[in-house]
Amino acid sequence: MTTSQTHTQNAQNSPNTKDAQSTKDAQNSRTTRNVRTTRNVWTTRAARTGPPPARPPLWDRRFTLYFIARAVSLVGDAMMPVATALAVGALYGISGVGIVLGIWTGTVVALVLFGGVLADRVGARRMMVGADLARVLTQGVLAAAFFVGPPPFWLLVTMAALAGAATAMFQPGVNGMVPLVAREPQRANATLKVADALAQLLGPALAGLLIALTGAGTVYAIDGATFLLSALCLALIRLAPAGAPEAAPAAAGPGARTGGSLRRDLRQGWQEFRARTWMWAVILIWVGYGVLLFGPLVPLSSALVGARLGPNAYGLAVSFLGVGTVLGGLLALRVRPARPLAAGAAAMALYSVLPLCVALDTGLPVLLAGHVLGGGAWAFWSVMWATSVQTHTPPAVLNRVSAYELAGSVSGIALGQILAGPATALASPGRLLLVSAGACLAGCVALFAIPAIRTLGRAAPAGGTPEAPGRPGPAASEAPDC
């Protein structure tokens, strides 16, 4: 082939070559785009299905201080019933113990609403510090009196009234402080419930041991020291910006920091309480529980179990109740139901096993198992309830609303305790506890039957958006001191 023929052939073949090259380039381009698209799709899927964002840390400085304050105070509180029963009972008998405890409880019920108003006005933390310091004084006076000699009865009654008044000023702020020191109130409430259960396990035993070894004065002195440490920890909590004065609670309404009338503040708290059907309905059921279940449970079950299996068996049962409370608190740390009160109501149905085991004269293993179930059910409900109140109530009125809730609950229990003795003249303790078990189940049915309770969902703390089921909501914003 000549050179001219070769050039002619190349010229004839060149269009085909260019077309083939263009086709190859187009295929490579499509392949590249497909690879990039696939990579983007998998990247998007990985982002969607990746691990959820980490929860905010619970044990920061604020919550650690608050936890220490509550833990040591709870140990002191757990020691006091045993100390009062043993020390006062030895001097003035059962009636003396009843009068001292009754004065304390009655003072709490009478003044707790005013404690809620003052906590919203001047701040829960300040009120709690002041109440702790007041109880340092009352317990210190009683400790000195027991060290010197048998204290007069009027002194015991007077200090009980003052301590009850201080408790009424302290308790409404317990609920209001949790959303301010913890970004996830449920985790905080569950952790505090575990501490409460451990205190109930250790406190009574420690009180009995100290009274046997050193006398009642030591127990009262240690109780006063726990209040002093609690006041110190609470005073060290700083929620307002550094260098700025402590502000009012978020979204504070009229009267929160102004000189509004006490009656107006009480009315506003009542209106907020009444406006939440789920809240007042639960408290109404809890008043019935207090009269028929919680109030008579301790005196009736202690009498039955002590007479049949001995006092040591009843003490062991109470210890297993504390074990169940620890387990229920740990469960509440992990489980985040979409409808907290519905889940808590389902758990409370298990509480009926406790009075049922006592009423049916079951053996010790079954009795202990029933107390574990009862303690777990009670702890789980308590965490769900406290979290619902804290996250569904405006911060400006949370302390007042908590005071109404506390007053209703305590009044029912006090009435049940008073009526437990006279009721045994009408029916045996075993039959009365069967009524208690039935009342527990009936209350759970009522909780499920009320739509406002059954359908109440989770809410993000500090005014955030509601949480999706099973996923943590947005972190609570930094709130000013209350």
Side-chain angles (χ1 to χ4, degrees):
M1 180 181 292
T2 63
T3 304
S4 61
Q5 290 174 332
T6 303
H7 283 290
T8 302
Q9 184 67 32
N10 290 338
Q12 292 174 349
N13 292 337
S14 61
N16 295 334
T17 303
K18 291 179 179 178
D19 292 343
Q21 185 64 35
S22 299
T23 302
K24 184 176 181 180
D25 291 342
Q27 290 175 347
N28 290 338
S29 178
R30 285 195 298 269
T31 302
T32 302
R33 286 197 300 270
N34 290 337
V35 170
R36 289 176 179 173
T37 303
T38 303
R39 186 182 295 120
N40 291 337
V41 168
W42 282 107
T43 302
T44 303
R45 288 179 179 176
R48 290 177 180 175
T49 60
R55 289 183 177 181
L58 177 65
W59 295 97
D60 58 9
R61 182 177 184 273
R62 293 178 302 173
F63 181 75
T64 300
L65 287 171
Y66 185 72
F67 177 83
I68 295 173
R70 294 298 298 132
V72 296
S73 182
L74 288 169
V75 171
D77 291 343
M79 294 169 63
M80 276 300 96
V82 173
T84 303
L86 295 179
V88 179
L91 297 174
Y92 301 103
I94 296 177
S95 62
V97 174
I99 292 174
V100 170
L101 293 178
I103 290 293
W104 183 90
T105 304
T107 307
V108 172
V109 174
L111 298 180
V112 69
L113 295 180
F114 300 100
V117 171
L118 293 174
D120 279 332
R121 284 191 173 194
V122 305
R125 188 183 65 88
R126 290 189 180 98
M127 290 297 298
M128 294 169 75
V129 171
D132 274 339
L133 293 178
R135 290 184 287 187
V136 171
L137 177 63
T138 60
Q139 303 309 89
V141 168
L142 289 175
F146 274 104
F147 281 133
V148 171
F153 189 68
W154 67 264
L155 180 63
L156 296 174
V157 171
T158 302
M159 292 300 105
L162 292 176
T167 302
M169 301 298 109
F170 183 93
Q171 284 300 126
V174 172
N175 248 358
M177 280 292 292
V178 171
L180 301 180
V181 299
R183 298 191 176 190
E184 287 193 74
Q186 180 176 325
R187 292 172 64 195
N189 287 321
T191 303
L192 292 169
K193 178 55 66 176
V194 172
D196 187 9
L198 292 175
Q200 295 300 324
L201 282 173
L202 299 176
L206 180 61
L209 180 63
L210 288 174
I211 287 179
L213 295 177
T214 63
T218 303
V219 179
Y220 282 96
I222 291 176
D223 192 31
T226 64
F227 289 128
L228 182 61
L229 181 56
S230 173
L232 177 61
C233 290
L234 290 171
L236 291 175
I237 296 175
R238 288 292 178 264
L239 300 174
E246 294 183 9
R257 287 277 178 166
T258 65
S261 69
L262 185 63
R263 182 181 300 176
R264 183 199 309 164
D265 288 344
L266 286 172
R267 187 187 306 116
Q268 184 185 9
W270 171 252
Q271 289 171 348
E272 293 286 347
F273 176 79
R274 189 180 61 179
R276 291 160 176 78
T277 302
W278 60 271
M279 186 179 291
W280 63 256
V282 167
I283 295 305
L284 191 61
I285 294 171
W286 239 248
V287 172
Y289 271 177
V291 175
L292 298 175
L293 177 60
F294 300 132
L297 182 61
V298 172
L300 295 180
S301 60
S302 61
L304 281 177
V305 174
R308 187 168 60 90
L309 300 174
N312 291 336
Y314 180 71
L316 187 61
V318 173
S319 298
F320 271 71
L321 181 70
V323 171
T325 306
V326 172
L327 296 177
L330 294 175
L331 179 64
L333 272 172
R334 302 185 62 86
V335 178
R336 301 168 61 82
R339 293 183 174 87
L341 294 187
M348 273 301 295
L350 296 175
Y351 193 87
S352 62
V353 175
L354 195 158
L356 195 62
C357 288
V358 179
L360 297 179
D361 293 337
T362 60
L364 184 60
V366 177
L367 181 70
L368 299 181
H371 278 72
V372 170
L373 282 177
W378 168 248
F380 189 80
W381 162 266
S382 297
V383 174
M384 297 299 111
W385 169 253
T387 304
S388 297
V389 172
Q390 292 159 3
T391 56
H392 285 276
T393 305
V397 294
L398 178 55
N399 297 309
R400 275 170 282 175
V401 169
S402 297
Y404 278 102
E405 172 250 323
L406 183 63
S409 301
V410 173
S411 62
I413 295 175
L415 184 58
Q417 290 172 335
I418 293 172
L419 296 178
T424 56
L426 303 176
S428 66
R431 290 182 180 273
L432 292 175
L433 286 176
L434 287 176
V435 173
S436 298
C440 182
L441 293 176
C444 292
V445 171
L447 291 172
F448 276 110
I450 300 173
I453 298 174
R454 185 179 66 249
T455 61
L456 185 73
R458 296 187 62 83
T465 55
E467 296 181 26
R471 295 185 63 183
S477 60
E478 186 94 359
D481 195 6
C482 80

